PDB file of all heavy atoms in Angstrom:
ATOM      1  N   LEU A 134      12.292  13.468   8.470  1.00 76.00           N
ATOM      2  CA  LEU A 134      10.871  13.153   8.628  1.00 76.00           C
ATOM      3  C   LEU A 134      10.024  13.854   7.569  1.00 76.00           C
ATOM      4  O   LEU A 134       9.040  13.299   7.088  1.00 76.00           O
ATOM      5  CB  LEU A 134      10.389  13.534  10.027  1.00 76.00           C
ATOM      6  CG  LEU A 134      10.843  12.611  11.150  1.00 76.00           C
ATOM      7  CD1 LEU A 134      10.389  13.159  12.496  1.00 76.00           C
ATOM      8  CD2 LEU A 134      10.321  11.206  10.949  1.00 76.00           C
ATOM      9  N   VAL A 135      10.412  15.053   7.203  1.00 77.00           N
ATOM     10  CA  VAL A 135       9.701  15.761   6.140  1.00 77.00           C
ATOM     11  C   VAL A 135       9.872  14.999   4.826  1.00 77.00           C
ATOM     12  O   VAL A 135       8.919  14.835   4.060  1.00 77.00           O
ATOM     13  CB  VAL A 135      10.209  17.217   6.012  1.00 77.00           C
ATOM     14  CG1 VAL A 135       9.591  17.900   4.811  1.00 77.00           C
ATOM     15  CG2 VAL A 135       9.901  17.991   7.284  1.00 77.00           C
ATOM     16  N   LYS A 136      11.067  14.485   4.559  1.00 81.00           N
ATOM     17  CA  LYS A 136      11.330  13.712   3.336  1.00 81.00           C
ATOM     18  C   LYS A 136      10.513  12.416   3.341  1.00 81.00           C
ATOM     19  O   LYS A 136       9.963  12.025   2.308  1.00 81.00           O
ATOM     20  CB  LYS A 136      12.830  13.413   3.221  1.00 81.00           C
ATOM     21  CG  LYS A 136      13.206  12.744   1.943  1.00 81.00           C
ATOM     22  CD  LYS A 136      12.954  13.655   0.756  1.00 81.00           C
ATOM     23  CE  LYS A 136      13.427  12.986  -0.509  1.00 81.00           C
ATOM     24  NZ  LYS A 136      13.030  13.711  -1.696  1.00 81.00           N
ATOM     25  N   VAL A 137      10.435  11.739   4.513  1.00 76.00           N
ATOM     26  CA  VAL A 137       9.625  10.519   4.618  1.00 76.00           C
ATOM     27  C   VAL A 137       8.169  10.831   4.286  1.00 76.00           C
ATOM     28  O   VAL A 137       7.512  10.075   3.571  1.00 76.00           O
ATOM     29  CB  VAL A 137       9.745   9.895   6.035  1.00 76.00           C
ATOM     30  CG1 VAL A 137       8.687   8.842   6.274  1.00 76.00           C
ATOM     31  CG2 VAL A 137      11.131   9.308   6.240  1.00 76.00           C
ATOM     32  N   ALA A 138       7.663  11.951   4.778  1.00 73.00           N
ATOM     33  CA  ALA A 138       6.284  12.349   4.494  1.00 73.00           C
ATOM     34  C   ALA A 138       6.083  12.568   3.002  1.00 73.00           C
ATOM     35  O   ALA A 138       5.070  12.150   2.433  1.00 73.00           O
ATOM     36  CB  ALA A 138       5.940  13.613   5.271  1.00 73.00           C
ATOM     37  N   GLU A 139       7.042  13.196   2.350  1.00 77.00           N
ATOM     38  CA  GLU A 139       6.931  13.438   0.915  1.00 77.00           C
ATOM     39  C   GLU A 139       6.943  12.133   0.128  1.00 77.00           C
ATOM     40  O   GLU A 139       6.154  11.949  -0.800  1.00 77.00           O
ATOM     41  CB  GLU A 139       8.075  14.331   0.443  1.00 77.00           C
ATOM     42  CG  GLU A 139       7.987  15.756   0.933  1.00 77.00           C
ATOM     43  CD  GLU A 139       9.235  16.567   0.619  1.00 77.00           C
ATOM     44  OE1 GLU A 139      10.141  16.044  -0.058  1.00 77.00           O
ATOM     45  OE2 GLU A 139       9.291  17.721   1.063  1.00 77.00           O
ATOM     46  N   VAL A 140       7.833  11.218   0.506  1.00 78.00           N
ATOM     47  CA  VAL A 140       7.922   9.926  -0.191  1.00 78.00           C
ATOM     48  C   VAL A 140       6.648   9.126  -0.001  1.00 78.00           C
ATOM     49  O   VAL A 140       6.110   8.547  -0.945  1.00 78.00           O
ATOM     50  CB  VAL A 140       9.165   9.138   0.275  1.00 78.00           C
ATOM     51  CG1 VAL A 140       9.133   7.711  -0.237  1.00 78.00           C
ATOM     52  CG2 VAL A 140      10.437   9.842  -0.158  1.00 78.00           C
ATOM     53  N   LEU A 141       6.127   9.066   1.225  1.00 71.00           N
ATOM     54  CA  LEU A 141       4.884   8.333   1.484  1.00 71.00           C
ATOM     55  C   LEU A 141       3.728   8.918   0.692  1.00 71.00           C
ATOM     56  O   LEU A 141       2.899   8.187   0.154  1.00 71.00           O
ATOM     57  CB  LEU A 141       4.545   8.360   2.977  1.00 71.00           C
ATOM     58  CG  LEU A 141       5.292   7.390   3.864  1.00 71.00           C
ATOM     59  CD1 LEU A 141       4.928   7.633   5.314  1.00 71.00           C
ATOM     60  CD2 LEU A 141       4.999   5.959   3.481  1.00 71.00           C
ATOM     61  N   THR A 142       3.670  10.228   0.630  1.00 73.00           N
ATOM     62  CA  THR A 142       2.592  10.879  -0.104  1.00 73.00           C
ATOM     63  C   THR A 142       2.671  10.569  -1.598  1.00 73.00           C
ATOM     64  O   THR A 142       1.662  10.324  -2.242  1.00 73.00           O
ATOM     65  CB  THR A 142       2.639  12.400   0.136  1.00 73.00           C
ATOM     66  OG1 THR A 142       2.531  12.632   1.535  1.00 73.00           O
ATOM     67  CG2 THR A 142       1.503  13.100  -0.566  1.00 73.00           C
ATOM     68  N   GLN A 143       3.877  10.538  -2.141  1.00 78.00           N
ATOM     69  CA  GLN A 143       4.051  10.266  -3.565  1.00 78.00           C
ATOM     70  C   GLN A 143       3.871   8.789  -3.897  1.00 78.00           C
ATOM     71  O   GLN A 143       3.493   8.451  -5.020  1.00 78.00           O
ATOM     72  CB  GLN A 143       5.423  10.736  -4.020  1.00 78.00           C
ATOM     73  CG  GLN A 143       5.582  12.232  -3.958  1.00 78.00           C
ATOM     74  CD  GLN A 143       7.008  12.678  -4.199  1.00 78.00           C
ATOM     75  OE1 GLN A 143       7.899  11.863  -4.400  1.00 78.00           O
ATOM     76  NE2 GLN A 143       7.232  13.980  -4.165  1.00 78.00           N
ATOM     77  N   ALA A 144       4.138   7.898  -2.947  1.00 76.00           N
ATOM     78  CA  ALA A 144       4.094   6.466  -3.220  1.00 76.00           C
ATOM     79  C   ALA A 144       2.815   5.809  -2.694  1.00 76.00           C
ATOM     80  O   ALA A 144       2.774   4.602  -2.511  1.00 76.00           O
ATOM     81  CB  ALA A 144       5.316   5.786  -2.600  1.00 76.00           C
ATOM     82  N   HIS A 145       1.762   6.599  -2.487  1.00 73.00           N
ATOM     83  CA  HIS A 145       0.554   6.023  -1.898  1.00 73.00           C
ATOM     84  C   HIS A 145      -0.098   4.978  -2.801  1.00 73.00           C
ATOM     85  O   HIS A 145      -0.653   3.996  -2.311  1.00 73.00           O
ATOM     86  CB  HIS A 145      -0.447   7.116  -1.515  1.00 73.00           C
ATOM     87  CG  HIS A 145      -1.204   7.700  -2.661  1.00 73.00           C
ATOM     88  ND1 HIS A 145      -0.679   8.693  -3.453  1.00 73.00           N
ATOM     89  CD2 HIS A 145      -2.427   7.436  -3.150  1.00 73.00           C
ATOM     90  CE1 HIS A 145      -1.553   9.017  -4.376  1.00 73.00           C
ATOM     91  NE2 HIS A 145      -2.631   8.269  -4.221  1.00 73.00           N
ATOM     92  N   VAL A 146      -0.010   5.140  -4.086  1.00 78.00           N
ATOM     93  CA  VAL A 146      -0.611   4.166  -5.002  1.00 78.00           C
ATOM     94  C   VAL A 146       0.131   2.834  -4.910  1.00 78.00           C
ATOM     95  O   VAL A 146      -0.485   1.768  -4.883  1.00 78.00           O
ATOM     96  CB  VAL A 146      -0.610   4.708  -6.453  1.00 78.00           C
ATOM     97  CG1 VAL A 146      -1.100   3.659  -7.425  1.00 78.00           C
ATOM     98  CG2 VAL A 146      -1.447   5.965  -6.543  1.00 78.00           C
ATOM     99  N   LEU A 147       1.440   2.886  -4.821  1.00 82.00           N
ATOM    100  CA  LEU A 147       2.244   1.673  -4.681  1.00 82.00           C
ATOM    101  C   LEU A 147       1.910   0.956  -3.378  1.00 82.00           C
ATOM    102  O   LEU A 147       1.701  -0.262  -3.363  1.00 82.00           O
ATOM    103  CB  LEU A 147       3.734   2.009  -4.739  1.00 82.00           C
ATOM    104  CG  LEU A 147       4.684   0.838  -4.513  1.00 82.00           C
ATOM    105  CD1 LEU A 147       4.544  -0.182  -5.633  1.00 82.00           C
ATOM    106  CD2 LEU A 147       6.104   1.338  -4.411  1.00 82.00           C
ATOM    107  N   GLY A 148       1.847   1.698  -2.288  1.00 76.00           N
ATOM    108  CA  GLY A 148       1.528   1.090  -0.990  1.00 76.00           C
ATOM    109  C   GLY A 148       0.156   0.453  -0.989  1.00 76.00           C
ATOM    110  O   GLY A 148      -0.031  -0.657  -0.479  1.00 76.00           O
ATOM    111  N   PHE A 149      -0.820   1.128  -1.559  1.00 77.00           N
ATOM    112  CA  PHE A 149      -2.172   0.581  -1.616  1.00 77.00           C
ATOM    113  C   PHE A 149      -2.219  -0.636  -2.524  1.00 77.00           C
ATOM    114  O   PHE A 149      -2.896  -1.621  -2.215  1.00 77.00           O
ATOM    115  CB  PHE A 149      -3.156   1.649  -2.099  1.00 77.00           C
ATOM    116  CG  PHE A 149      -4.578   1.199  -2.035  1.00 77.00           C
ATOM    117  CD1 PHE A 149      -5.201   0.994  -0.817  1.00 77.00           C
ATOM    118  CD2 PHE A 149      -5.298   0.977  -3.184  1.00 77.00           C
ATOM    119  CE1 PHE A 149      -6.509   0.575  -0.745  1.00 77.00           C
ATOM    120  CE2 PHE A 149      -6.618   0.562  -3.133  1.00 77.00           C
ATOM    121  CZ  PHE A 149      -7.216   0.367  -1.913  1.00 77.00           C
ATOM    122  N   GLY A 150      -1.489  -0.608  -3.631  1.00 83.00           N
ATOM    123  CA  GLY A 150      -1.439  -1.765  -4.534  1.00 83.00           C
ATOM    124  C   GLY A 150      -0.853  -2.986  -3.862  1.00 83.00           C
ATOM    125  O   GLY A 150      -1.355  -4.103  -4.016  1.00 83.00           O
ATOM    126  N   ILE A 151       0.206  -2.785  -3.094  1.00 85.00           N
ATOM    127  CA  ILE A 151       0.812  -3.896  -2.349  1.00 85.00           C
ATOM    128  C   ILE A 151      -0.182  -4.450  -1.333  1.00 85.00           C
ATOM    129  O   ILE A 151      -0.312  -5.662  -1.174  1.00 85.00           O
ATOM    130  CB  ILE A 151       2.118  -3.440  -1.677  1.00 85.00           C
ATOM    131  CG1 ILE A 151       3.182  -3.189  -2.734  1.00 85.00           C
ATOM    132  CG2 ILE A 151       2.604  -4.476  -0.659  1.00 85.00           C
ATOM    133  CD1 ILE A 151       4.431  -2.524  -2.218  1.00 85.00           C
ATOM    134  N   LEU A 152      -0.912  -3.576  -0.660  1.00 81.00           N
ATOM    135  CA  LEU A 152      -1.924  -4.008   0.300  1.00 81.00           C
ATOM    136  C   LEU A 152      -3.006  -4.849  -0.378  1.00 81.00           C
ATOM    137  O   LEU A 152      -3.404  -5.901   0.132  1.00 81.00           O
ATOM    138  CB  LEU A 152      -2.548  -2.803   0.996  1.00 81.00           C
ATOM    139  CG  LEU A 152      -3.666  -3.103   1.980  1.00 81.00           C
ATOM    140  CD1 LEU A 152      -3.132  -3.893   3.167  1.00 81.00           C
ATOM    141  CD2 LEU A 152      -4.308  -1.823   2.445  1.00 81.00           C
ATOM    142  N   VAL A 153      -3.466  -4.413  -1.543  1.00 84.00           N
ATOM    143  CA  VAL A 153      -4.504  -5.158  -2.274  1.00 84.00           C
ATOM    144  C   VAL A 153      -3.987  -6.541  -2.668  1.00 84.00           C
ATOM    145  O   VAL A 153      -4.680  -7.547  -2.498  1.00 84.00           O
ATOM    146  CB  VAL A 153      -4.976  -4.375  -3.516  1.00 84.00           C
ATOM    147  CG1 VAL A 153      -5.825  -5.233  -4.431  1.00 84.00           C
ATOM    148  CG2 VAL A 153      -5.739  -3.138  -3.094  1.00 84.00           C
ATOM    149  N   VAL A 154      -2.770  -6.615  -3.173  1.00 89.00           N
ATOM    150  CA  VAL A 154      -2.191  -7.910  -3.559  1.00 89.00           C
ATOM    151  C   VAL A 154      -2.072  -8.826  -2.353  1.00 89.00           C
ATOM    152  O   VAL A 154      -2.403 -10.022  -2.433  1.00 89.00           O
ATOM    153  CB  VAL A 154      -0.821  -7.711  -4.247  1.00 89.00           C
ATOM    154  CG1 VAL A 154      -0.095  -9.032  -4.432  1.00 89.00           C
ATOM    155  CG2 VAL A 154      -1.004  -7.026  -5.591  1.00 89.00           C
ATOM    156  N   LEU A 155      -1.639  -8.307  -1.211  1.00 87.00           N
ATOM    157  CA  LEU A 155      -1.521  -9.130  -0.001  1.00 87.00           C
ATOM    158  C   LEU A 155      -2.881  -9.650   0.456  1.00 87.00           C
ATOM    159  O   LEU A 155      -3.002 -10.815   0.839  1.00 87.00           O
ATOM    160  CB  LEU A 155      -0.852  -8.331   1.117  1.00 87.00           C
ATOM    161  CG  LEU A 155       0.633  -8.086   0.948  1.00 87.00           C
ATOM    162  CD1 LEU A 155       1.158  -7.169   2.047  1.00 87.00           C
ATOM    163  CD2 LEU A 155       1.396  -9.397   0.937  1.00 87.00           C
ATOM    164  N   VAL A 156      -3.893  -8.796   0.396  1.00 83.00           N
ATOM    165  CA  VAL A 156      -5.237  -9.245   0.795  1.00 83.00           C
ATOM    166  C   VAL A 156      -5.727 -10.330  -0.154  1.00 83.00           C
ATOM    167  O   VAL A 156      -6.306 -11.330   0.279  1.00 83.00           O
ATOM    168  CB  VAL A 156      -6.221  -8.053   0.854  1.00 83.00           C
ATOM    169  CG1 VAL A 156      -7.657  -8.544   0.967  1.00 83.00           C
ATOM    170  CG2 VAL A 156      -5.879  -7.146   2.016  1.00 83.00           C
ATOM    171  N   ILE A 157      -5.475 -10.178  -1.440  1.00 87.00           N
ATOM    172  CA  ILE A 157      -5.907 -11.192  -2.408  1.00 87.00           C
ATOM    173  C   ILE A 157      -5.188 -12.512  -2.164  1.00 87.00           C
ATOM    174  O   ILE A 157      -5.793 -13.585  -2.236  1.00 87.00           O
ATOM    175  CB  ILE A 157      -5.682 -10.693  -3.851  1.00 87.00           C
ATOM    176  CG1 ILE A 157      -6.666  -9.574  -4.170  1.00 87.00           C
ATOM    177  CG2 ILE A 157      -5.804 -11.827  -4.857  1.00 87.00           C
ATOM    178  CD1 ILE A 157      -6.391  -8.845  -5.462  1.00 87.00           C
ATOM    179  N   LEU A 158      -3.906 -12.454  -1.849  1.00 88.00           N
ATOM    180  CA  LEU A 158      -3.148 -13.687  -1.604  1.00 88.00           C
ATOM    181  C   LEU A 158      -3.542 -14.357  -0.297  1.00 88.00           C
ATOM    182  O   LEU A 158      -3.673 -15.577  -0.228  1.00 88.00           O
ATOM    183  CB  LEU A 158      -1.645 -13.386  -1.599  1.00 88.00           C
ATOM    184  CG  LEU A 158      -1.032 -13.018  -2.944  1.00 88.00           C
ATOM    185  CD1 LEU A 158       0.415 -12.607  -2.759  1.00 88.00           C
ATOM    186  CD2 LEU A 158      -1.148 -14.173  -3.921  1.00 88.00           C
ATOM    187  N   VAL A 159      -3.726 -13.572   0.746  1.00 84.00           N
ATOM    188  CA  VAL A 159      -4.007 -14.130   2.065  1.00 84.00           C
ATOM    189  C   VAL A 159      -5.488 -14.458   2.235  1.00 84.00           C
ATOM    190  O   VAL A 159      -5.844 -15.456   2.864  1.00 84.00           O
ATOM    191  CB  VAL A 159      -3.533 -13.156   3.166  1.00 84.00           C
ATOM    192  CG1 VAL A 159      -3.917 -13.648   4.544  1.00 84.00           C
ATOM    193  CG2 VAL A 159      -2.026 -12.957   3.083  1.00 84.00           C
ATOM    194  N   LEU A 160      -6.355 -13.640   1.678  1.00 83.00           N
ATOM    195  CA  LEU A 160      -7.802 -13.823   1.825  1.00 83.00           C
ATOM    196  C   LEU A 160      -8.471 -13.891   0.454  1.00 83.00           C
ATOM    197  O   LEU A 160      -9.140 -12.954   0.024  1.00 83.00           O
ATOM    198  CB  LEU A 160      -8.399 -12.656   2.635  1.00 83.00           C
ATOM    199  CG  LEU A 160      -7.815 -12.424   4.015  1.00 83.00           C
ATOM    200  CD1 LEU A 160      -8.304 -11.113   4.577  1.00 83.00           C
ATOM    201  CD2 LEU A 160      -8.153 -13.565   4.937  1.00 83.00           C
ATOM    202  N   PRO A 161      -8.316 -15.009  -0.265  1.00 84.00           N
ATOM    203  CA  PRO A 161      -8.853 -15.088  -1.624  1.00 84.00           C
ATOM    204  C   PRO A 161     -10.377 -14.973  -1.702  1.00 84.00           C
ATOM    205  O   PRO A 161     -10.910 -14.602  -2.742  1.00 84.00           O
ATOM    206  CB  PRO A 161      -8.374 -16.447  -2.124  1.00 84.00           C
ATOM    207  CG  PRO A 161      -8.067 -17.236  -0.905  1.00 84.00           C
ATOM    208  CD  PRO A 161      -7.659 -16.237   0.138  1.00 84.00           C
ATOM    209  N   ASN A 162     -11.085 -15.253  -0.612  1.00 86.00           N
ATOM    210  CA  ASN A 162     -12.548 -15.131  -0.612  1.00 86.00           C
ATOM    211  C   ASN A 162     -13.003 -13.760  -0.136  1.00 86.00           C
ATOM    212  O   ASN A 162     -14.188 -13.527   0.038  1.00 86.00           O
ATOM    213  CB  ASN A 162     -13.170 -16.201   0.279  1.00 86.00           C
ATOM    214  CG  ASN A 162     -12.910 -17.585  -0.252  1.00 86.00           C
ATOM    215  OD1 ASN A 162     -12.898 -17.792  -1.456  1.00 86.00           O
ATOM    216  ND2 ASN A 162     -12.668 -18.534   0.632  1.00 86.00           N
ATOM    217  N   GLY A 163     -12.058 -12.859   0.107  1.00 79.00           N
ATOM    218  CA  GLY A 163     -12.393 -11.526   0.595  1.00 79.00           C
ATOM    219  C   GLY A 163     -12.489 -11.502   2.100  1.00 79.00           C
ATOM    220  O   GLY A 163     -12.415 -12.537   2.779  1.00 79.00           O
ATOM    221  N   ILE A 164     -12.651 -10.323   2.643  1.00 77.00           N
ATOM    222  CA  ILE A 164     -12.717 -10.173   4.097  1.00 77.00           C
ATOM    223  C   ILE A 164     -13.978 -10.814   4.649  1.00 77.00           C
ATOM    224  O   ILE A 164     -13.952 -11.513   5.655  1.00 77.00           O
ATOM    225  CB  ILE A 164     -12.622  -8.676   4.480  1.00 77.00           C
ATOM    226  CG1 ILE A 164     -11.231  -8.159   4.109  1.00 77.00           C
ATOM    227  CG2 ILE A 164     -12.900  -8.470   5.962  1.00 77.00           C
ATOM    228  CD1 ILE A 164     -11.057  -6.673   4.265  1.00 77.00           C
TER     229      ILE A 164
END
């Protein structure tokens, strides 16, 4: 669990980028 926390903390930009791409694909007019 400590390792998972470290990986999530280091990969936050990747996770947020994936979220932005999904929102753009699913909601092209924005929220």
Side-chain angles (χ1 to χ4, degrees):
L134 286 176
V135 173
K136 185 65 176 171
V137 167
E139 290 172 4
V140 170
L141 281 175
T142 302
Q143 294 171 359
H145 77 278
V146 174
L147 176 65
F149 186 68
I151 290 170
L152 177 65
V153 168
V154 170
L155 287 174
V156 168
I157 290 170
L158 290 174
V159 175
L160 303 169
N162 296 324
I164 294 173

